[in-house]
Amino acid sequence: MECNSENKETFCLKICADSTSEDLEPIAQAIHTLLGIPITIRSMNHKGIRMERGNIIDRNYTGPVLEEAIRTNTVIRTVPSEGVYRGKSVVVAPIRTLDGGAIGAIGVVDLVAALDILSMFREYPGIIDEVEESRKRMK
């Protein structure tokens, strides 16, 4: 697809290994708005963005898990021992070309991994009954 750069209403997103934080900002904004949780994103050759609470905190951001996801071209779920998100569960996925090569990575704080489901069930024993009642009503 070709974008007409003369039309001020048209905006094209093209991502590559050399994308800058400015190039990646619309993607970070969209995902952060959808999920409402901290987002990090970078390309292979340039540092990127860290967003929290609706604001860009850092436009020159990188982190060890982002770098590892790019280097290994794998999705990583971990609790980092260093960096801004040290001690918090995160999930980071590579951004890949159509051929499968990693050209960047995007990460989020993994809220599901951070929940202690067993303690929730212990503290709220009625939750299972509520779920079962809801299922019956849906049928």
Side-chain angles (χ1 to χ4, degrees):
M1 175 178 91
E2 288 295 318
C3 291
N4 180 353
S5 60
E6 295 172 15
N7 183 348
K8 300 279 186 206
E9 296 175 13
T10 301
F11 186 81
C12 285
L13 295 176
K14 293 185 180 183
I15 301 171
C16 67
D18 290 318
S19 292
T20 65
S21 59
E22 184 177 283
D23 298 329
L24 299 171
E25 185 174 339
I27 296 164
Q29 291 276 5
I31 294 172
H32 182 66
T33 300
L34 283 170
L35 301 178
I37 57 178
I39 297 291
T40 60
I41 186 171
R42 69 160 292 163
S43 69
M44 180 183 293
N45 298 327
H46 291 279
K47 293 182 179 179
I49 290 175
R50 177 168 70 100
M51 288 193 72
E52 294 181 10
R53 296 185 178 101
N55 298 308
I56 295 176
I57 306 298
D58 191 344
R59 291 179 183 277
N60 192 35
Y61 180 79
T62 191
V65 185
L66 286 174
E67 293 171 4
E68 184 180 350
I70 294 168
R71 186 178 67 257
T72 62
N73 195 8
T74 59
V75 175
I76 301 171
R77 295 177 188 279
T78 190
V79 177
S81 58
E82 59 180 310
V84 175
Y85 298 106
R86 175 182 59 247
K88 293 183 171 76
S89 294
V90 299
V91 60
V92 177
I95 300 170
R96 297 180 176 126
T97 64
L98 293 176
D99 294 336
I103 58 171
I106 187 162
V108 297
V109 173
D110 189 357
L111 296 178
V112 174
L115 294 176
D116 184 352
I117 300 296
L118 291 177
S119 70
M120 284 179 60
F121 284 133
R122 268 187 246 117
E123 291 177 30
Y124 303 101
I127 198 167
I128 295 173
D129 295 334
E130 288 180 36
V131 170
E132 286 300 320
E133 283 299 315
S134 293
R135 282 184 49 205
K136 287 176 186 175
R137 282 182 286 203
M138 292 175 67
K139 290 182 180 181

